[in-house]
Amino acid sequence: MPFTKRASLFIFAALLLGCSRSPQPPQEVPASKTTASKQAASKEITENQALDLLLAALKRRKVADLDCLEFMAETDDPAVSKAEQWEFAAHEIHDKRCGGDPGVSPVRDRYQISSAGKVKVYDAAEGEFKKF
């Protein structure tokens, strides 16, 4: 008899465990929140907006001879009006005011600007853009 009591208690305990509540599955993030975060991450800006962000960063850094630099966008598709990031080449202006040979306009630096306002400068030795 004691074996049957133990067996029935074991079966009863197994049934109780099997019928217990399972943990709730993780809740999904509402679509409005995911859409808003994707929009923030994929915000596109115009070339002029990117150039304004770059010039503001260069002024904060007090880059020398800023008045003697001309910035040209470097893009594969000239028809692009908005993008998540832009790249610019800073060409030296050579004239009477800035000096130098007016027949040349060498690139001093290259910059990459994200729509979030982050600026990177090209490191030619490493072959990649680095934090500015």
Side-chain angles (χ1 to χ4, degrees):
M1 205 49 129
F3 178 75
T4 56
K5 280 186 181 179
R6 283 188 205 156
S8 22
L9 284 175
F10 178 77
I11 292 171
F12 181 71
L15 285 172
L16 281 176
L17 285 174
C19 295
S20 68
R21 293 180 128 187
S22 60
Q24 292 183 351
Q27 293 180 346
E28 292 184 26
V29 178
S32 61
K33 287 186 180 180
T34 56
T35 303
S37 66
K38 285 181 184 177
Q39 287 175 347
S42 65
K43 179 184 170 189
E44 293 185 338
I45 57 174
T46 66
E47 180 181 335
N48 287 339
Q49 290 170 319
L51 183 57
D52 289 343
L53 290 169
L54 174 58
L55 291 174
L58 294 172
K59 287 176 184 174
R60 280 193 305 274
R61 284 282 186 108
K62 298 180 181 170
V63 171
D65 302 329
L66 196 53
D67 293 336
C68 291
L69 293 176
E70 177 181 29
F71 296 89
M72 295 181 189
E74 295 183 322
T75 179
D76 294 337
D77 185 359
V80 172
S81 62
K82 286 189 169 189
E84 289 182 30
Q85 73 179 18
W86 290 87
E87 292 179 9
F88 291 92
H91 289 263
E92 292 179 0
I93 298 172
H94 289 180
D95 59 12
K96 288 182 182 182
R97 184 175 57 89
C98 296
D101 181 356
V104 296
S105 179
V107 174
R108 183 194 286 182
D109 281 311
R110 284 188 160 79
Y111 299 96
Q112 186 179 73
I113 300 84
S114 73
S115 59
K118 294 185 181 182
V119 177
K120 294 181 178 181
V121 64
Y122 188 72
D123 182 346
E126 297 293 325
E128 63 186 30
F129 286 95
K130 300 222 174 170
K131 187 177 177 181
F132 180 62

